[in-house]
Amino acid sequence: MVTLYQRGGPATGMPTRTEQGDLLFAIRAGHSETPRLVLASGDLVEAFYDAVQAFNYAERYQTVVVHLVDKALASTTCTVPPFDLEAIRIERGELFVPPADTDGRNGYKRFALTASGISPRALLGQPGGTHWLTGGEHTELGRVTEDPGVREQMMEKRARKMELALREIPREEKFKVYGDAEAPFTVMSWGSNKGAILEALQRLADDGLAARLVQVRLLWPFPADDLQPFLDSADPLVVVETNYSGQFAQLLRAQTGRASDYLVVKYNGRPISGEELYRALCAIARGCDERRLVLRNPWE
Amino acid sequence: MVTATTPKITAKDYRVEHANDWCPGCGDFGILNALQQAVAGLGLRPHQVAVFGGIGCSGKAMYYLPVYGVHTLHGRVLSFATGAKLANPELTVIAVGGDGDGLGIGAGHFVNTGRRNVDLTYILFNNEVYGLTKGQAAPTLAMGLQPKSLPEPNIQGQINPLLLAMAVGFTWIGRGYAYNVKHLVELIQKAIRHPGLAYLDVLQPCPTYNDLHTRDWYAGKDRGDGRPRLYLLEKEGYDPVIPADADAATIAAKTQQFIAKAQEWDDRIPLGVFLENRAVPHF
């Protein structure tokens, strides 16, 4: 489980300033096609429960889970309801139950090829469960191999886990819809922009303009099918991000074929405010010519 | 923690039939053999032992043991081993790796593991070269030496791993020799029994790439009088123990003694337990 707290780059960059510049990095970092889950929280309450869930998913799917937060979120202080600790479940995933009275010589297959892709896991020190773990490609026993057939089987096994995650993870964990759920005016975003967007939507509603926010929380594997109805009905589709290049918009287009109609970005290290976003959305609602709107802080 | 559950376990129970790509005559075989005898001799069952390997020839040792064997990332073996020990304190945790892995890329982990006296044993296979990648100078190779892969003598200075281990807080420090398996078994067992962080340096001739410090060199065959270079500290009455209630003067004297022994090389090279510090609380 990796907590990735994003800030402005390059290298040391702006250590005390925010950015959502690591989305594509989180999804693609590392060589090869290593499966992982990427979750992004929109506020502090979400961040608390998502952190728990990230650990659970890491154990359930036996793979890396990246919990994406950013400087703005990490440095935010606010009053929240007490966390509901009773509601928290700690999952250990599928565990290996050894046959009785063995001494580790029972041929336990730590990486057994299963339909789900998940192999029951023995915990270090458990009688009957000794095995080898390696960063090298490996057989079901954990032996290093470069066998082409085994490689295919293991690649497919790991890919099956991602398909399983997409099937199992409930829709409300994949994304949340705020505002007028039926409104065509659709803001799509992720991470800590949530607060500013909700404020801007409220002001638009006060002006008589119905709009909705689709806050995507599971960024990888990408919930393309679940999002499709919202993409079909979006008019316009506005993507809001705290980065230069619109990484979420790129991801959305790559995974669904749907390009954003408007891209609102900010990349000066400062979080988006409800006020400036409200003004940008008003301009879009009026049908502005610009398709990419940059939010700035000229007074600073 | 070491708990003997059955007296029947033998080194044979720790053998694994698996293709091995170490070179013929490699010191790694001696260390693996000693490790198998050591854990069997302590009565440990395979599931009670976890061996973590670094990257390099040495790090593969875990593939030849029927224990929980984890092949980790280059230089990160101590981090994995520490995590496992904290998660399951009942496990006997052993980390194995080479000088390049542990003192090159892994130097930061070596230093910071020293600050936490976690009960685990780190066995460093010290052959002064990067054997897996064809014999480049490792951090333990002295300045001016030129093993056969180097185009010119080593231009960098060396790390003395024993001095470094003491400086950063390892509480048990020893040195063995890959071809003195009987002695090495005893050292590994002492290191495992030590209730804190143990560093065991093993001089491990690399027959393929280190043509300077060979088995014959350690045996002193290049010298006129044929006097072996290696000797055992315990045979000279060396006492490595810092007692739990040691006063500052005792600790200072033991430290001085350790530093003197850790610097002996070339003419006489000590093997044995250099330091057993009982005055530091352990995890």
Side-chain angles (χ1 to χ4, degrees), chain A residues 211-231:
Chain A
R212 61 186 173 180
L213 163 65
V214 179
Q215 179 212 351
V216 181
R217 290 163 36 71
L218 178 68
L219 277 310
W220 198 261
F222 196 78
D225 291 346
D226 298 279
L227 286 171
Q228 198 58 50
F230 295 86
L231 297 173

Side-chain angles (χ1 to χ4, degrees), chain B residues 144-167:
Chain B
L145 295 187
Q146 189 180 8
K148 70 186 187 190
S149 276
L150 270 62
E152 56 183 272
N154 187 17
I155 57 172
Q156 302 190 82
Q158 77 189 129
I159 290 170
N160 180 322
L162 303 179
L163 286 179
L164 182 63
M166 192 217 61

Side-chain angles (χ1 to χ4, degrees), chain A residues 30-49:
Chain A
H31 51 283
S32 190
E33 299 173 299
T34 313
R36 84 282 309 266
L37 277 72
V38 179
L39 319 176
S41 303
D43 58 37
L44 293 184
V45 174
E46 284 183 24
F48 176 80
Y49 294 105

